[in-house]
Structure formats: structure tokens, C-alpha cells
Amino acid sequence: MSTMKAEKVSRMAAEDRRELVIQAATRAFARGGYAGTSTDAVAREAGVSQPYVVRMFGTKLELFLEVFRRSVGRIRDAFAAVLDEGPFDPESEEDKARMGLAYATLLEDHDFLQVMMHGFSAGGVDEIAAAARECMGEVFATIKRTGWDDERARDFVAYGMLLNVMLSMQAPEHLEPGDPLTALTRCAFGEMLPAASGADAP
């Protein structure tokens, strides 16, 4: 870490320093997942020392849990914002589309979506599995505020998870004519495909 960068970090307010490390941890965990990312890798990404990260967050597990909860929380909060805007008609396709659009606005940020997928797949760590169950329950409870029954809410969650899996495998960036996955990708993302791929889809 350069002296100049270290001095810049040290002059930040405590809240800003914490946010810088969380953002760096999101990028690092998105690449390597929980098992494949060390606090040293997070520190390098943030431009701070490894002991600094440990002093701020404690263990790698505590840091990952904070990053994971924040990542899933972004989706929960996006859905809640739609519902807080005013009445929601559970039979309205237009209102359903507003919920979908709330998710679509998040698609360009693949890092937090990838962190979420890493968290959901790290069930071998009890604390992460517990956090994943809690967070998924919160998302489902938020979606149920639409007035949809359990089956319709389930289908909405399942559709979102399909999109997350396809983003995780970088399907929107690898569209090949005649490839069956391309057909699924186009069907799944629809008008959201350019945002998901980061460019205009061919």
C-alpha cells in the first residue's frame, strides 16, 4: 500500500473508512467467495493494512456476513421501495412489472449479486447458512406485501434466482447464435438483457 493512499484513508471519517472497506470486500468476495478470499486480499483491494481490516470487522466471517446481508438487503429494499410508493394491486401486470423493474435497476452491479450467490452456496458454514435463511425469508416476506399468495411470491423469487444464476455464469455476456442457453438468456432477461450484459446485446 502506498504511503499516499494510506494517508488518504487515514484522513477519512470513520464511517467513510468503513464504507470503503465494505465496498472493497464486496469486490473481493465477489471474485473469490468466502473460502477463497482472505482478509489480506480485502485489505489490498481497499488499500489498507490487513490488521486494520481485522480491527474494524473482527474475523473474515463477520466481514463476509456484513457484506452478504447488505447485498441481499439491497434487493429487499428495492422491492420495499416499490411497495412503499403507494397501493399495489396484486392482479395488476403493471404493478408486477414495477417490481421486476426494481430488480432490473440493480443488474449492472454484478459484484453484490455474485456475493449473494456465494452466500447462498456456502451452506457448509453454519453462520452463513443461518444468515442466508434469514435474508431469504426477509425477501419473501417483503414480496408477500404485494398481496400475492405463496405460489405467486415463490414464482417471483424463483425467477429472480434464475436471473442471478445466469448472471453468475456470465450468460448475458456469452450470447452465441444457435446456443440453447442464448435462447434461455434472451427469454429470461428480455428487455433487461442490455443492463445485464453491460452492453447492447447482439
Side-chain angles (χ1 to χ4, degrees), residues 75 79 88 95-103 139-140 143-144 146 148-163:
I75 293 179
F79 293 148
F88 186 98
D95 282 349
K96 180 180 179 181
R98 288 197 295 125
M99 290 288 280
L101 181 61
Y103 177 83
V139 170
F140 189 74
I143 293 171
K144 284 299 299 287
T146 60
W148 295 335
D149 61 21
D150 287 350
E151 288 73 19
R152 291 185 69 185
R154 173 206 62 198
D155 290 347
F156 189 82
V157 171
Y159 180 50
M161 290 303 295
L162 170 63
L163 299 184

Side-chain angles (χ1 to χ4, degrees), residues 106-128:
L106 303 174
L107 291 181
E108 293 183 5
D109 186 351
H110 290 195
D111 285 343
F112 92 92
L113 293 170
Q114 191 69 37
V115 165
M116 187 171 65
M117 294 303 294
H118 282 305
F120 287 146
S121 64
V125 180
D126 289 343
E127 294 87 347
I128 297 177

